[in-house]
Amino acid sequence: MRRWLPGLLLVSPSIILIAVFVYGLLGWNFKLAMTDKHDEIAEIPGDFVGLENFTSIWSDERWGLSVRHSIVFTVVFVGGALVLGWLLAFLMEKGIRAESGFRAVYLFPMAVSFIATGVVWRWLMNSATGDHAVGLNRLFHYLGVDFLQWQWFRDGDWGMAAMAIPAVWQMSGYIMALFLAGFRGVPEELREAARVDGCGEWGVYRHVVLPMLRPVTLSALIILGHISLKVFDLVVAVSGKQIITDVPATYMWTAVYDSHDPAKGATIASYIVLSVVVFVVPYLIWDARKGKRS
């Protein structure tokens, strides 16, 4: 007991809080999602209906629209942040001047909340055009490239791609820091050995550096993926609760607080949790197996 009891007492408050306020509330949410409690009357707990809510929600046109929006946002956000972060890290790794200053500038957006980012980008992505344009559309008008003016997040087809731009701006600096650490972690001896074997500079990156960045890339993919799947504050700050930019998290808010349908809101929340689990659990399994092999 002298060995394990002090450590257990030290971490027990955290264990209890996580058990109650994370896993306990997750369990309560899944339980609510399996009931027919479609109103907020406290005296009616709701009867158990199994997976009925999970299947019937797919007949809801708005739910399908929010899922499609989430997929578009995820693809643009994850892909854009990975590419831009890798490119910035590559430039830093090549030893540009004033590197520390550039690193600070690129990391500054991480200190800003998604709410503040959304408020600023709501102005930058204003959909007004011509003489009434503001933000980026106004800049395009001054430059004489009016053909670049766009409806941005109000576009019915690619509005969610525009919604991902602020998120890419905010997270690309963090991804840059991850990739830069990965670049700097590749031993110089391996690079020199590849050059001795006849590899050019691109060959060194292709056959030595990039393969060693796979764990960093996977970690960045997991981080960005789970952020995009549960995005809420950025969307609300930019466009509010508009159907044209609906994602599962905003639809969940609408279902609970506007439509007063707790069971439906819990069902949507459960799907959000499950989608994040699909991203995170395989990574945890892979990381655990990698730790055992090493």
Side-chain angles (χ1 to χ4, degrees), residues 11-91:
V11 301
S12 57
S14 298
I15 294 175
I16 294 172
L17 291 174
I18 292 174
V20 174
F21 293 104
V22 177
Y23 296 105
L25 293 181
L26 282 176
W28 176 84
N29 180 83
F30 277 98
K31 179 182 177 181
L32 178 60
M34 295 183 183
T35 67
D36 61 352
K37 186 175 176 58
H38 296 292
D39 55 61
E40 294 182 334
I41 301 177
E43 290 76 15
I44 302 178
D47 297 325
F48 180 78
V49 295
L51 299 177
E52 179 181 331
N53 293 327
F54 289 88
T55 56
S56 63
I57 196 174
W58 290 100
S59 61
D60 186 344
E61 183 178 357
R62 184 172 177 181
W63 167 248
L65 183 65
S66 69
V67 171
R68 289 195 296 272
H69 286 169
S70 181
I71 292 173
V72 173
F73 181 91
T74 298
V75 171
V76 177
F77 169 54
V78 174
L82 283 176
V83 172
L84 184 57
W86 186 91
L87 180 61
L88 292 174
F90 176 77
L91 296 175

Side-chain angles (χ1 to χ4, degrees), residues 140-278:
F140 296 149
H141 180 67
Y142 277 134
L143 296 177
V145 288
D146 289 359
F147 65 92
L148 292 177
Q149 293 183 347
W150 192 27
Q151 292 292 309
W152 299 101
F153 64 89
R154 297 183 185 277
D155 185 270
D157 297 322
W158 295 102
M160 290 308 298
M163 184 67 72
I165 294 176
V168 172
W169 171 81
Q170 181 158 353
M171 293 301 300
S172 59
Y174 175 68
I175 303 303
M176 174 207 70
L178 292 180
F179 277 121
L180 184 59
F183 278 127
R184 299 283 168 83
V186 178
E188 187 63 29
E189 293 79 6
L190 294 180
R191 303 186 190 218
E192 290 297 332
R195 295 188 182 101
V196 170
D197 289 339
C199 284
E201 195 64 20
W202 170 243
V204 172
Y205 278 91
R206 179 183 177 185
H207 299 291
V208 178
V209 178
L210 293 182
M212 297 190 69
L213 289 180
R214 288 174 184 170
V216 177
T217 304
L218 181 58
S219 300
L221 182 64
I222 297 300
I223 294 170
L224 296 174
H226 96 271
I227 291 175
S228 66
L229 291 172
K230 59 186 182 67
V231 64
F232 172 79
D233 42 3
L234 176 65
V235 176
V236 172
V238 173
S239 66
K241 296 179 289 184
Q242 298 185 43
I243 295 180
I244 198 171
T245 56
D246 220 5
V247 291
T250 57
Y251 188 25
M252 174 192 67
W253 177 273
T254 302
V256 175
Y257 295 103
D258 294 346
S259 301
H260 307 286
D261 191 339
K264 188 173 188 178
T267 302
I268 298 172
S270 299
Y271 269 119
I272 295 174
V273 172
L274 292 174
S275 64
V276 173
V277 167
V278 169

